[in-house]
Amino acid sequence: MLISFYFRIGSHEATNKMPFHNLAVVFGPTLLKPAEKAQASNPMDLFSSSANDAMYQSGILFYYLTLLSKGTQFR
């Protein structure tokens, strides 16, 4: 599973300087699909919603990495 790979990377944070939070910020938006959006008339609305999506995607990956660090197993 890909999340367990990121967990292994994060467990060596003293060596690679990539704690779970940094991994989530970098890879969360890449791994998780953003929400479906209606066509935005204002470019700033599109930018704002994309920034929110990236924040949520990072938070979700961070949550799963934290669960793995507490011993939760996924199937």
Side-chain angles (χ1 to χ4, degrees):
M1 180 186 314
L2 195 56
I3 292 177
S4 56
F5 172 72
Y6 291 121
F7 175 76
R8 283 194 339 223
I9 293 172
S11 63
H12 298 286
E13 71 176 284
T15 305
N16 62 21
K17 308 294 188 231
M18 288 297 284
F20 294 145
H21 181 266
N22 291 0
L23 289 168
V25 168
V26 171
F27 294 108
T30 304
L31 295 174
L32 300 170
K33 182 179 175 185
E36 295 289 327
K37 296 179 191 65
Q39 192 71 341
S41 59
N42 184 355
M44 288 306 291
D45 290 340
L46 183 61
F47 176 76
S48 176
S49 67
S50 296
N52 280 337
D53 285 345
M55 184 179 65
Y56 293 131
Q57 292 160 333
S58 299
I60 290 168
L61 182 57
F62 181 73
Y63 174 74
Y64 282 118
L65 290 171
T66 305
L67 284 178
L68 279 174
S69 72
K70 294 178 181 179
T72 304
Q73 297 295 319
F74 299 106
R75 295 185 206 198

